[in-house]
Structures are given as structure tokens and as C-alpha cells.
Amino acid sequence: MPAPLMHIDSSPSLPREADVVVIGGGVVGVFTAYYLARRGVSVALLEKGRVAAEQSSRNWGWCRQQNRDARELPMATKSLDLWEKVAQETGEETGFRRCGLLYLSQSDHELAGWAKWRDFARTVGVTTHMLSAEKATERGKATGCKWKGGVFSPTDGTADTSRAVPVAARGIMAAGGSVHQYCTARGIELSAGRVSGVVTEAGTIRTRTVVMAGGAWASSFCNQLGVRFPQAAVRQSILAVAPGANGLPDALHTARVSLTRRGNGGYTLAISGRARVDPTPQQLRFSREFVPMFARRWRSLAPGAFEGWRQGHESLRKWVLDDVTPMERNRILDPKPDMRQIRLTYRRACELMPELKRVAISDAWAGYIDSTPDGIPAVGEIEGIPGFILAAGFSGHGFGIGPGAGHMIADIITGSEPIVDPRPYRPERLKTVAWGKVAEF
């Protein structure tokens, strides 16, 4: 069962030209086009399947500053402010609420790490509260457990993954841009080494600026241009339960299981960081670059199967622009969920919060979380190809920081002062090894 997702209509016709073409209808691509359109820039958004149908509707829905890596925190902070404005700007509800995020722990080591982050956050004006054992147990009373401590981040929140990005996509069209679903971008045309157009399955759009925000497909697309973008994805399985459980927190993280209240009153359940590594040609190609990441995260990862190979998003093959591409053969990445993981997640959740025993699993799905070797997004113009901007590798954090990323990219394109410093995200950094640079959170 795929994750629940709101349907939107596409623009009626493909433009012959545009100031900017954005490839990829996930959260980053949509918000890039959204902020460009609101500035009067002629922009076309291309999505090979449905807007937000891949990881942008398959995540937890958390919009957080808490425990962000220092390089991502400024973008996370700006994104929270932007999330608040989207509903007002579009006149539609995104489900965003600053409900606060609750973290509970029985580990002294984990609590010490959170306290260290709290001390850092104070230096950049971010508020987070360490909880004593008494306060943590009170806030976590739905669990019936005594906790050693915890963290509560009151200004963080969640948004509705089933509708937030589609709402922003409709905002693109309302502002004068266009959105084209089931319209694959097959490749880029260059003139004198510079971007001059995008070849789609429905025709060519003349443009001088392209944003590649294709999520887990980005590296294979870049490979067509001879661009080496080290990217790998893991398959994470998540479930949702029906409405009916009462008295639970809006958003809770523990080492055993995490939950998030959904827009319909049900809950999303997941085990943080737990994922399957499906071998693919692309993973083998970039295996050396990802050794530092694997060394830090291996306890949460397990060997997968050939699901990733079958999906085709991490292929090394070259394709021609006048024939069907792998993106058209697989419009939406909808990998099989790990049902063993789903059962474990549900069992853990029911053990921790018995109230969940009253409700049944309503949906279960999997998604591919694409990452860079250091766990920080790659955003910026690719050296040697003027007009080609990469925006990918958001490493499981894209939904929360998507508005800030999109705003920053729109700033760069229009020559405005960037909303945050773009230098930590420049793709060129990935030419060096990631030892000592892997994101902590």
C-alpha cells in the first residue's frame, strides 16, 4: 500500500520555453518552483509521476531544529518560519503545527548528547528544554514508563505529508508557474557548454537554468551529463494506524519506536534510522565514499535484497533522449516494505503505548532515502555546466528543511541575498573524503 497522498491536477500544456525548469516534484523541487513563481519568474516543474509520490509523502512529517547538524540548522530554522506562511499564502491547509517534539530516553549517553546539542543551540538562538526524570515521565505518561530524562523542543512541529507538498505545488500554478505530472525529463541540452534546454517525453523546453531535484534519481540523471555525484539510498519501511488512539503525544521519539499524529487523527509509526541496504550498481560504484557513513550508522542498517536493482533508480546505464528512459518505466518509486520490520515496529509501539492496541494498521509502505557521503545536502551549480543546479542528497531531512532549501535556491537563481549561507551545501565538497564530516544527527 503506498503512502496516502492528495491528488492535484497538472497544468494544461507544456511551455515551449521558461526562465527556469525544475526537475522533480518532491518537496525541494516544489518549493524551489514555488518561490520562483512568487517572484514572477517563468518556471516549469516537471515530475515523471505524481507530485510528492516518493519520499516527500513517505516520511514522518517532522519539521525540526532539534538535533540538527550545525550545517543544516540555519536552513531548518528558516524552514519553520516558511512552513507557517504557506497556508496563509496559498489559502490551503498544509497541516503544519508547532506542536513541539518530545524525545524520551533511558540512556545516560543519549541524554548527554542531547544536552550537548542544547548548549550549542543556545548559541544560535534555538530553544530546547532538557527534561528531568520526573518531567520526562510526566510528559511521557502515555507510555506508562519511568524515564531517565528527555528533551522537548517547543517551537518544532509537524506537517501533513499527504497534502503539504501538493498544496505548495498548486501554489506554483496560482502564482503563474506550471506543473507537469507524468512528464519525464529525459535529459539536458547544452549550447557552447551551457544549459539551453530540457528534453522531456512531451517535447523540449528552451531554458538557460535547470534545477535537478530528482531525489533518489539524481545521481543516475547526472551521470548522463558526465557528472559524478556520489549518492546512495536505503529502503526504510513505515506504517500508519487508523484513528482512535487517545492521549498520545503529537510527536514522540524513543530508541525503540517513534510516532507522529497524522492529519486524519491516526499515527505514523517508525523505528528511527532502521533501514535495508539494497545493493545496486550505483552503490557499488560509490561504496568507498560511503565507508565513513556506514561506520557511523551500521548498527541501524541491515542487508537488503535486489529490490533496489529492480527499481532502476541507481543504474549506471546511459540512455538516449529520443527513447523511453528508466524514469518512464518506473514512474513512482514504490518499493516493497519490509513486513518483518512493519510487524516489529507495530509490536514495539503497542508495548510502549498500549493505547495503540485499540487501532489497526491502516497503511504500510517503504521509501528510498537518498544520502550524500556526509549526510548533508548537495545544493549548487555544477562546475563546468553553467545553468545546471543540483539540489539532492537531503539524507532523510528534506521534508522538514524543504521550504528553506527551495527559498535558498530561488535566491541564488534570482541574485537575491540567500536566506542562509549556501557554502556548506556546495557539491564540490564531495570530491574530498567524508571522514570526520558525517552529520551527527
Side-chain angles (χ1 to χ4, degrees), residues 321-335:
L321 304 188
D322 60 354
D323 199 1
V324 174
T325 66
M327 290 92 72
E328 291 151 88
R329 295 190 182 95
N330 190 1
R331 297 282 181 179
I332 297 171
L333 275 180
D334 187 25

Side-chain angles (χ1 to χ4, degrees), residues 258-338:
S258 299
L259 88 165
T260 312
R261 183 185 293 274
R262 298 184 64 83
N264 66 354
Y267 285 87
T268 298
L269 307 176
I271 299 175
S272 180
R274 186 70 67 89
R276 293 279 179 180
V277 181
D278 294 336
T280 66
Q282 185 174 295
Q283 283 207 351
L284 296 174
R285 180 190 187 193
F286 298 129
S287 58
R288 182 176 298 179
E289 283 94 330
F290 279 89
V291 168
M293 173 72 76
F294 183 75
R296 181 180 287 274
R297 307 278 168 83
W298 67 271
R299 292 180 181 84
S300 299
L301 302 175
F306 287 97
E307 183 70 11
W309 205 296
R310 287 191 294 268
Q311 295 289 329
H313 62 295
E314 292 191 346
S315 170
L316 297 181
R317 62 163 290 201
K318 301 277 189 174
W319 56 74
V320 295
L321 304 188
D322 60 354
D323 199 1
V324 174
T325 66
M327 290 92 72
E328 291 151 88
R329 295 190 182 95
N330 190 1
R331 297 282 181 179
I332 297 171
L333 275 180
D334 187 25
K336 295 178 182 178
D338 179 349

Side-chain angles (χ1 to χ4, degrees), residues 68-224:
R68 285 284 187 209
D69 186 273
R71 291 162 288 185
E72 282 189 352
L73 183 57
M75 190 179 287
T77 299
K78 294 294 186 181
S79 291
L80 284 166
D81 295 336
L82 296 172
W83 271 118
E84 283 192 314
K85 297 175 182 177
V86 174
Q88 178 182 350
E89 292 168 351
T90 62
E92 293 194 72
E93 181 58 55
T94 65
F96 176 75
R97 295 183 304 129
R98 289 190 187 250
C99 57
L101 307 181
L102 176 62
Y103 293 61
L104 299 174
S105 182
Q106 304 287 17
S107 166
D108 290 328
H109 177 75
E110 191 171 42
L111 290 169
W114 294 346
K116 181 180 178 181
W117 190 90
R118 182 270 317 270
D119 294 341
F120 152 70
R122 285 174 173 169
T123 69
V124 291
V126 175
T127 300
T128 186
H129 303 301
M130 291 299 297
L131 303 177
S132 65
E134 181 180 1
K135 289 184 178 179
T137 300
E138 171 59 26
R139 282 193 175 272
K141 59 186 177 182
T143 68
C145 299
K146 290 185 177 181
W147 297 93
K148 282 191 174 183
V151 174
F152 184 68
S153 52
T155 58
D156 289 347
T158 64
D160 188 342
T161 56
S162 70
R163 63 178 292 113
V165 177
V167 162
R170 285 211 285 228
I172 297 168
M173 293 181 278
S178 61
V179 175
H180 309 278
Q181 298 175 104
Y182 294 97
C183 184
T184 297
R186 291 176 170 174
I188 306 298
E189 288 188 340
L190 305 177
S191 296
R194 170 180 187 98
V195 168
S196 60
V198 177
V199 179
T200 82
E201 63 181 291
T204 299
I205 306 175
R206 311 317 309 177
T207 186
R208 290 176 58 82
T209 304
V210 171
V211 179
M212 164 36 58
W217 296 86
S219 184
S220 60
F221 190 95
C222 287
N223 187 44
Q224 309 307 306

